[in-house]
Amino acid sequence: MASRLHIPAAPYRPGEQPDFSAISLPRAGELPRPDELAPANTTENLSYSMIRVLDDDHRAVGPWNPGLPADVLRQGLRNMMLTRLYDEHMLRMQRQGKMSFYLKCTGEEAVSVAQCMALDDGDMLFPTYRQQGLLITRGYPLPDMMCQCLSNAGDRLQGRQLPVMYSSDVHKFFTISGNLGTQFSQAVGWAMAAEYRKTGDIAAAWVGEGTTAEADFHYALTFSTVYRAPVILNVVNNQWAISTHQNVAGGDQNPFAARAIGYGIPGLRVDGNDFLAAYAATRWAAQRARTGGGPTLIELYTYRAAAHSTSDDPAKYRPANEWEHWPLGDPIERLKQHLIALGYWSEAKHGQLQAELEEMVGNTWDDAISLGTLNEGPRPPASAMFEHVYKEIPPHLVEQRRQLESAG
């Protein structure tokens, strides 16, 4: 008797020709925008379709158009461009042996940049490891990001985190956890505490679609809906969890946004390569959270163009040119063309900004490596191992540190 189990698989493997024509994409602007406090059970259609704002002619259309002014759009474009250039530079340096490890977010820049710009400065961010655009958007110093990846004398975390596992209390950027999924529950707890304190701040968390198969995902949804926590829970569906396709996590059964329905939470499925759609959906969810409406689950539908990390070879599990066929395009190119269509930008201005940012990233790198790289340069003193571990250092470690320093 043949097995009736469903064994999910990737639609295309190396050497095959990718064809995404089966993906159902609604026309930009066709979905309604409900009131932010609309009952969750009236928003089900937003879980199964897709919020899109930019149409094929690069116009912003429909009720989800946030109507952003030109200077905000240009800032969003700059942040995305800087994020990509930073990524590309850091990958090259890792390949040259300057640092041990790196993760790129190529193709996903609109997720972090647009969402961060839609939030307030006091809102706490609980990211996974592909949201470097959050820090760049909030103005975290680029040299500090580089030094953290280098684990050199300028690393604020003193080598206690893997490269790209950034942390900044000042910028409301919660320490990245390598145990994927934990940040969802942590964000809900932080949001509940913020509500007790009546600060008006909310929390936002990000995981990949593969992490929705983890228990932490469901714990977070349960607590957030029961306590109506002011939190935005984001699932970045970039199609691939390392070498495992989104279908293995159930993406071929229903959209990940639809998992919110059983919890009584609104689920928004969003074109993750549309800067304006990502901004608008996040702004809607933030307003809902701030006014007592509770949590929102947002699925950002996008594509991981690069390898999972520098330890990964995607050519072993997907077609090498799959990214080129992705129907939602490049988020940077789409926002650029929108600005050009509005008369707020040009190819010449874009090229000039590209050159300026490339020079800035290169100069910043020169400053960062002056503090050391993986194989050369100054390093933190050995005594630094005792710092930033305990709030109050236990006596036996105080004595060990004294012995180390006296030994020379």
Side-chain angles (χ1 to χ4, degrees):
M1 179 177 174
S3 172
R4 289 172 292 186
L5 291 175
H6 170 63
I7 309 299
Y12 308 106
R13 287 300 190 183
E16 297 178 345
Q17 183 66 20
D19 178 7
F20 292 112
S21 59
I23 295 178
S24 178
L25 296 176
R27 293 190 306 274
E30 80 172 23
L31 286 184
R33 184 186 184 279
D35 182 81
E36 289 89 349
L37 292 179
N41 61 6
T42 66
T43 64
E44 185 173 336
N45 63 318
L46 300 176
S47 298
Y48 285 94
S49 189
M50 190 179 297
I51 297 169
R52 306 182 70 207
V53 174
L54 290 172
D55 67 12
D56 294 340
D57 296 320
H58 313 298
R59 299 174 303 169
V61 296
W64 284 94
N65 176 14
L68 298 176
D71 60 333
V72 175
L73 294 174
R74 286 192 292 261
Q75 185 62 43
L77 181 64
R78 183 187 186 278
N79 290 340
M80 287 198 293
M81 291 171 66
L82 179 55
T83 300
R84 183 169 295 183
L85 288 170
Y86 170 75
D87 264 359
E88 291 173 351
H89 190 91
M90 298 301 279
L91 176 65
R92 289 196 301 272
M93 296 303 103
Q94 191 277 336
R95 295 308 192 201
Q96 293 178 24
K98 302 296 186 182
M99 57 191 182
S100 61
F101 180 77
Y102 193 74
L103 282 146
K104 293 181 71 182
C105 66
T106 307
E108 303 175 43
E109 294 88 356
V111 171
S112 54
V113 172
Q115 291 200 279
C116 189
M117 292 179 68
L119 296 168
D120 292 350
D121 290 342
D123 297 336
M124 194 69 179
L125 312 177
F126 291 78
T128 184
Y129 45 56
R130 219 178 297 278
Q131 275 85 50
Q132 44 268 59
L134 295 174
L135 282 174
I136 287 174
T137 300
R138 285 212 165 158
Y140 188 80
L142 210 61
D144 289 359
M145 293 179 69
M146 292 178 172
C147 287
Q148 194 281 321
C149 293
L150 289 163
S151 299
N152 62 14
D155 177 10
R156 292 189 186 187
L157 304 183
Q158 297 184 329
R160 288 182 170 81
Q161 276 278 42
L162 281 168
V164 310
M165 299 288 186
Y166 311 105
S167 177
S168 177
D169 179 53
V170 173
H171 295 81
K172 301 295 183 181
F173 187 93
F174 198 82
T175 307
I176 294 177
S177 173
N179 300 316
L180 301 182
T182 56
Q183 63 269 38
F184 249 37
S185 299
Q186 293 160 355
V188 174
W190 191 96
M192 292 169 63
E195 182 59 28
Y196 275 117
R197 296 193 304 267
K198 299 299 179 185
T199 64
D201 299 323
I202 67 173
W206 289 260
V207 295
E209 81 286 344
T211 306
T212 63
E214 298 286 341
D216 293 277
F217 173 82
H218 299 280
Y219 298 154
L221 266 65
T222 298
F223 271 79
S224 66
T225 189
V226 168
Y227 295 100
R228 204 172 295 172
V231 63
I232 304 173
L233 300 170
N234 299 290
V235 175
V236 184
N237 180 4
N238 63 16
Q239 312 303 308
W240 290 96
I242 308 183
S243 59
T244 304
H245 192 263
Q246 59 124 8
N247 289 352
V248 176
D252 59 345
Q253 306 295 314
N254 276 308
F256 294 100
R259 299 189 180 183
I261 296 171
Y263 290 93
I265 297 173
L268 309 182
R269 190 165 179 248
V270 179
D271 179 347
N273 288 19
D274 181 338
F275 179 93
L276 295 179
Y279 183 100
T282 306
R283 200 68 179 170
W284 185 93
Q287 180 64 14
R288 182 181 180 89
R290 287 188 219 284
T291 51
T296 302
L297 180 68
I298 301 179
E299 176 187 352
L300 289 306
Y301 199 71
T302 182
Y303 187 89
R304 169 169 60 78
H308 175 77
S309 73
T310 50
S311 302
D312 172 46
D313 179 7
K316 292 183 177 180
Y317 55 81
R318 69 184 187 188
N321 65 341
E322 193 171 69
W323 158 246
E324 299 171 9
H325 295 268
W326 182 241
L328 296 177
D330 182 326
I332 294 177
E333 182 66 19
R334 288 176 69 183
L335 183 57
K336 168 188 145 184
Q337 292 300 334
H338 175 58
L339 278 163
I340 290 175
L342 291 174
Y344 298 149
W345 202 239
S346 67
E347 292 288 355
K349 289 179 180 178
H350 194 83
Q352 180 181 355
L353 178 58
Q354 179 88 1
E356 290 173 358
L357 294 177
E358 286 178 353
E359 182 179 9
M360 183 186 76
V361 170
N363 292 338
T364 303
W365 174 257
D366 291 340
D367 294 338
I369 61 174
S370 69
L371 298 173
T373 68
L374 181 65
N375 297 313
E376 58 188 15
R379 287 174 172 77
S383 60
M385 75 173 76
F386 297 98
E387 300 172 4
H388 308 300
V389 177
Y390 296 95
K391 183 178 181 180
E392 296 181 6
I393 303 178
H396 72 285
L397 293 182
V398 171
E399 175 59 21
Q400 289 180 24
R401 182 173 63 182
R402 185 195 65 77
Q403 293 175 11
L404 177 67
E405 290 172 342
S406 63

